[in-house]
Amino acid sequence: MADDAYGATVAKRRLSRRLAELRVRSGHTANHVCDILNWGRGKVGRFEANQWKRPEMSDIRDLLRIYGVEREAAEELEELAMRARSRPWWRDYSDIFDNEFPGFENDADRIRVFMPLVLPGLLQNPDYAEAHLRAGPRPPAWRRRAMETRQRRQEVLDRTDGTAPRLVAVITEASLSYSWSTPSDRRDQIEHLIEMGDRPSVELRIQRFVDGPPLGLLSPVNIFDFPGDEPALVYTETDAAIQEVSNAAQVSTYGESFKRALDGALETRDTRSYLEHLADQLELSHD
């Protein structure tokens, strides 16, 4: 399936970075540019920090003019701005997302995710997702909208136009051990994992209880890798917030930690066998 908003979030991020580079090269300060264009101070800084929703083409053209950008380069940046202006579906869910997480997930060509206590959202079936959301403090109306976004996010793995990301997921046995519903429902979730793990674009590995505590990582981490030379990005999660990490050194550290988590988990074939074992145990308990 195609996605009209594919690439929009990364385009906006790249545009912010390019505008900052051009301003520095031109010798202007951010405040000076605001004064020249009669803008409120801070506007250029917000652009360069990627703290904007949709770039206005008139603003972009004004900046390119001030920075003395030649025609060919200006046209490329205007095309980038046009791509950044695409309105993605998650803009209609500002009550669910207060950051750019779904956009980067949508644009990534590889997603590396570690979740110690629950399954990654991309791998949850509806019953598991509903049980997870019910455990939180949010009201039913919010949970219904969150379920809608969970299902929409999962569509990235079904894209057939060549833009589907490769998913590398490390899960733990703990995420499958809670008695959140009936044994039949829990077995359905495990069978869903087996099915997803059989996809060529999905690498699924499990850390078992018998292998000791998780290695490398202890908290939820999503690492997004993008096409071309776009720098990778990390999102970490706590009970209080989801935090974006873009510092190159920190992103590299998370990448090394994820590799340790991957090395501490079963290989994909053994993961499949262990999931089948867990499913069989639930079948016996159901009988």
Side-chain angles (χ1 to χ4, degrees):
M1 76 184 58
D3 184 352
D4 291 340
Y6 173 73
T9 303
V10 165
K12 187 159 64 75
R13 183 192 188 206
R14 182 178 293 132
L15 181 63
S16 295
R17 190 170 61 254
R18 289 288 292 122
L19 290 175
E21 293 169 353
L22 290 168
R23 178 186 57 75
V24 171
R25 187 180 305 168
S26 72
H28 291 89
T29 67
N31 284 339
H32 186 205
V33 174
C34 289
D35 291 343
I36 293 173
L37 295 172
N38 199 28
W39 290 352
R41 289 202 167 189
K43 183 173 179 177
V44 169
R46 289 192 298 274
F47 287 0
E48 295 180 4
N50 197 19
Q51 296 174 352
W52 51 352
K53 289 188 176 181
R54 298 178 72 207
E56 294 294 336
M57 294 306 299
S58 59
D59 290 345
I60 301 304
R61 294 188 179 105
D62 284 341
L63 291 173
L64 297 179
R65 174 175 52 82
I66 295 297
Y67 300 155
V69 180
E70 296 182 357
R71 179 176 177 179
E72 184 175 347
E75 288 177 351
E76 292 178 359
L77 288 168
E78 287 180 18
E79 289 178 7
L80 192 63
M82 288 297 294
R83 169 45 100 187
R85 283 180 54 78
S86 298
R87 180 176 175 81
W89 63 264
W90 54 88
R91 288 282 182 247
D92 295 328
Y93 292 89
S94 59
D95 54 330
I96 308 298
F97 302 112
D98 60 0
N99 53 46
E100 298 282 353
F101 178 92
F104 289 121
E105 185 178 64
N106 188 65
D107 291 355
D109 66 355
R110 182 176 64 164
I111 300 171
R112 291 174 283 170
V113 56
F114 170 79
M115 300 288 284
L117 297 177
V118 297
L119 292 175
L122 293 177
L123 296 175
Q124 296 176 6
N125 72 1
D127 288 336
Y128 187 103
E130 287 181 2
H132 179 217
L133 291 171
R134 281 199 305 272
R138 300 285 191 166
W142 187 94
R143 296 200 300 266
R144 285 194 295 271
R145 285 176 58 76
M147 273 297 298
E148 293 174 9
T149 67
R150 190 70 49 93
Q151 293 165 348
R152 289 292 298 271
R153 285 174 51 209
Q154 291 175 353
E155 291 178 2
V156 301
L157 300 179
D158 298 325
R159 291 196 298 233
T160 58
D161 59 356
T163 64
R166 173 169 177 75
L167 176 65
V168 184
V170 178
I171 64 174
T172 68
E173 189 170 352
S175 66
L176 299 172
S177 299
Y178 298 110
S179 297
W180 50 269
S181 186
T182 67
S184 178
D185 288 340
R186 301 201 297 276
R187 178 184 169 89
D188 287 345
Q189 172 62 77
I190 294 174
E191 290 178 341
H192 178 68
L193 288 175
I194 294 171
E195 178 185 339
M196 295 298 295
D198 285 341
R199 294 190 180 192
S201 61
V202 175
E203 179 180 348
L204 179 62
R205 300 196 187 192
I206 190 170
Q207 292 181 345
R208 302 177 300 179
F209 286 134
V210 297
D211 295 325
L215 297 176
L217 294 165
L218 294 174
S219 58
V221 171
N222 287 266
I223 306 174
F224 299 130
D225 300 297
F226 305 104
D229 60 354
E230 184 66 22
L233 190 70
V234 171
Y235 272 86
T236 62
E237 185 174 350
T238 67
D239 289 341
I242 297 177
Q243 181 178 3
E244 178 183 314
V245 178
S246 58
N247 176 273
Q250 293 178 334
V251 170
S252 178
T253 297
Y254 277 110
E256 290 299 319
S257 297
F258 183 84
K259 186 178 184 302
R260 289 188 62 205
L262 199 66
D263 291 341
L266 293 180
E267 296 287 340
T268 54
R269 182 179 299 178
D270 294 332
T271 291
R272 191 185 201 284
S273 298
Y274 196 69
L275 290 173
E276 290 173 340
H277 165 69
L278 294 177
D280 289 343
Q281 286 185 321
L282 286 169
E283 182 69 22
L284 290 173
S285 66
H286 181 59
D287 293 342

